[in-house]
Amino acid sequence: MAAVACVVACMAFPAAARDGTGPVPENAVPLGYGGGWNCALGYRVDGARCAALEIPENAYATGRSYGPGWACRRGFQEADGESCVPIPVPDNAFLESAGFGWQCKRGFRRDRDTCTRIDLPSNAYLTDALAGPGWACDRGFAAAAGECVPIEVPQNGYLTNSDRGSGWACERGFFATDRGCEAIDVPENAFLDMDSRGTGWRCERGYAVSHESCVAIQLPANAHLDRTGNAWRCDRSFQLSDGACVLGR
């Protein structure tokens, strides 16, 4: 009996109209498929009719069935859910592309609700970095105490593009000291190798390091130079014993 009563009640009231079915009311648009209707833009379903939305100035209808049904135009923001007020844009700033906020013009940076001019020193240029001073020094200069001072490059050195360290490095064949760039002393039977540790040179194949020189490797019988060319090892089937390569057993 309860189920029958529910069916009768549902037929007695226009419940179907609340989801856009039934007779098409004023300010509604019929659907072209499966029947039914939708309220026109600026209206919302209210029982069996389409009620007009109260859209404030500088707003537009969204057509959404949730929320207030309207949104503020670009350059405006919602206030108390009832109106759209202009987004305050300070001097030397402009609205962002999306229109929800603002950003400072080039040469200025944000300081709370204002844009302050970036103090650009001599021999510097503006950057777009949000962190830091907003500028960087020209090539050949380094930042020091808010200024850009010349980098003193020693003889046989060259400028680097790194913000770290001295800002210069030594040419190939030289190494950095407190006095500048000093020449690497390459011994006989050696060649420059800037990747080597400490010395900056490497012995030719067939020679081994001995103090600060390269001496010829004396190969024992049944031995050969290893892959580096600066040491030796016993041939296959031979093993090292007292400096000699003897046949293994």
Side-chain angles (χ1 to χ4, degrees):
M1 292 296 293
V4 173
C6 179
V7 172
V8 173
C10 292
M11 293 178 64
F13 297 96
R18 285 196 289 270
D19 58 4
T21 60
V24 180
E26 187 178 1
N27 299 311
V29 179
L31 299 177
Y33 53 91
W37 48 269
N38 284 332
C39 288
L41 192 63
Y43 293 83
R44 177 173 285 177
V45 174
D46 182 12
R49 67 189 187 93
C50 289
L53 293 170
E54 293 184 6
I55 300 176
E57 188 178 2
N58 300 311
Y60 61 93
T62 63
R64 300 188 184 101
S65 59
Y66 55 88
W70 54 267
C72 293
R73 295 188 180 278
R74 183 179 184 275
F76 294 83
Q77 59 188 2
E78 189 175 318
D80 301 324
E82 297 179 354
S83 61
C84 292
V85 297
I87 296 174
V89 179
D91 293 338
N92 303 306
F94 58 92
L95 272 175
E96 292 179 339
S97 178
F100 298 120
W102 54 268
Q103 66 183 64
C104 295
K105 295 179 180 178
R106 180 173 172 82
F108 296 83
R109 66 186 324 161
R110 187 163 187 160
D111 183 9
R112 296 185 180 179
D113 295 328
T114 62
C115 289
T116 58
R117 185 180 295 276
I118 294 174
D119 187 11
L120 188 66
S122 300
N123 304 305
Y125 60 92
L126 292 171
T127 67
D128 294 326
L130 297 178
W135 54 266
C137 293
D138 293 334
R139 178 175 169 81
F141 295 83
E147 301 292 335
C148 289
V149 297
I151 297 173
E152 296 183 4
V153 182
Q155 188 177 3
N156 301 311
Y158 63 92
L159 286 170
T160 65
N161 294 321
S162 176
D163 294 332
R164 299 179 180 179
S166 62
W168 58 267
C170 292
E171 300 280 1
R172 175 176 166 81
F174 297 83
F175 63 94
T177 67
D178 294 338
R179 297 181 295 275
C181 292
E182 296 188 7
I184 296 174
D185 186 13
V186 182
E188 189 177 1
N189 301 311
F191 60 92
L192 278 172
D193 183 6
M194 305 305 291
D195 293 331
S196 64
R197 297 180 179 178
T199 62
W201 52 266
R202 180 179 170 186
C203 292
E204 299 279 2
R205 179 176 173 81
Y207 293 83
V209 176
S210 178
H211 301 293
E212 296 182 0
S213 62
C214 293
V215 297
I217 296 174
Q218 302 298 322
L219 281 177
N222 305 310
H224 62 276
L225 292 174
D226 66 7
R227 59 184 301 178
T228 68
N230 303 122
W232 60 269
R233 60 185 302 177
C234 294
D235 294 342
R236 186 181 303 169
S237 300
F238 290 82
Q239 60 187 17
L240 183 65
S241 178
D242 296 328
C245 293
V246 298
L247 189 63
R249 296 183 179 179

